Amino acid sequence: MTDLVKLTNLEKLGIRELDDETMELLTIAIRGGGLDKLRSLYLFVVNGVFFSDLLLEVLSEKHYLQKLELRGEMKKLPSKLPSNLIKLTLARTDLSEDPMPTLENLQQLLSLRLNYSYEVKQMVCSTKGFPKLQHLEVSFFSQLDELVVEEGAMPCLLTCEISMMPELKMVPQGFKFLTRLQELKISTMRESFVQRVKEGGEDWDTIKQIPSIIVKDVLEEDRRRRIVTKYVF
C-alpha cells in the first residue's frame, strides 16, 4: 500500500477487503501526492469496518477522478465529493440520511447507483439537481417509503431502475416532468406497487409517456401470498 505513491501514471485502481490498517495506508499514499493521474477508483471494505472520514475527505479533493465506486459502511456521506465525477456507485453504505442534497450538486454526474440502506426513509431530488444525470438506479433501501422528484430535477435522465424497496408506496409524481426518460425498470417490488404502475393503475398517468416500462417480479412474500390466495377455495 505504501508503494502506491510511486505509481505516478496509474489511471485505474481497485482494492478489495480494505480494513482499518490498509485504509490508513491508502489515505497516507493519497495525501502524499500519490495516484495523481487516477481516473477510476473502486474500494470495498470488509464487513464491520467503516470508511474513514479522513479517507473520504482526501478523496473529495481529487478533482481528476471521474469514476468512483465505494462499497461498505460509512458513518455519513462527506459534504462534498470529487467535483468531476461522471459515474458514482455507493453500495452497502447503510446511510442514515438522505444522500441526495450532496449528490445532486455533482454537476458532471451521468450515472448514479445507490444500493443498500436500512434507515433512509425519504429521498428528495430537488429542482435543478443532477443537471446532467442520464442513468439512475436505486435498490435495496429497505425503509424508503417516499422518493420525491421535484419539477426541474434530472432533466436529462434517460433510464431509471427501482428495485427491492418494500416500503416504497408509489412512483415519484415528478416522473411526469422527465420528458427525456426512455426506460423505467421496476423489479421485485410489492404487489401493491406493481398494480399502481400497470395501465389503468393509480400511477399510470405519471409514467405512461415513457416509451419502455419493464416490470419484473414481486417480493417473495407477496408472491407466496398470491399463490396461497389462488388456491384457497
Side-chain angles (χ1 to χ4, degrees), residues 2-28:
T2 55
D3 286 339
L4 283 175
V5 71
K6 301 175 183 177
L7 303 178
T8 55
N9 292 311
L10 189 67
E11 293 188 359
K12 186 176 182 179
L13 174 65
I15 305 175
R16 295 177 60 89
E17 305 299 316
L18 273 172
D19 56 23
D20 289 328
E21 181 180 357
T22 51
M23 198 166 357
E24 182 178 359
L25 293 174
L26 175 61
T27 303
I28 292 171

Side-chain angles (χ1 to χ4, degrees), residues 162-217:
I162 295 172
S163 64
M164 287 298 296
M165 294 192 286
E167 299 301 318
L168 190 64
K169 302 296 190 298
M170 58 192 296
V171 169
Q173 296 301 291
F175 272 23
K176 61 188 174 185
F177 303 123
L178 303 179
T179 57
R180 297 188 183 184
L181 189 58
Q182 297 297 303
E183 182 177 88
L184 174 62
K185 290 183 179 180
I186 296 170
S187 64
T188 323
M189 297 290 285
R190 288 280 186 198
E191 177 76 25
S192 57
F193 188 96
V194 170
Q195 292 302 319
R196 290 182 67 97
V197 300
K198 289 184 176 180
E199 186 170 356
E202 294 173 81
D203 292 340
W204 178 247
D205 285 344
T206 302
I207 62 174
K208 64 183 181 181
Q209 78 284 356
I210 303 172
S212 176
I213 300 172
I214 302 170
V215 181
K216 299 189 301 181
D217 299 329

Side-chain angles (χ1 to χ4, degrees), residues 85-99:
L85 285 179
I86 61 173
K87 186 175 183 179
L88 175 63
T89 297
L90 298 176
R92 300 186 182 275
T93 50
D94 199 15
L95 296 169
S96 60
E97 297 179 354
D98 182 0

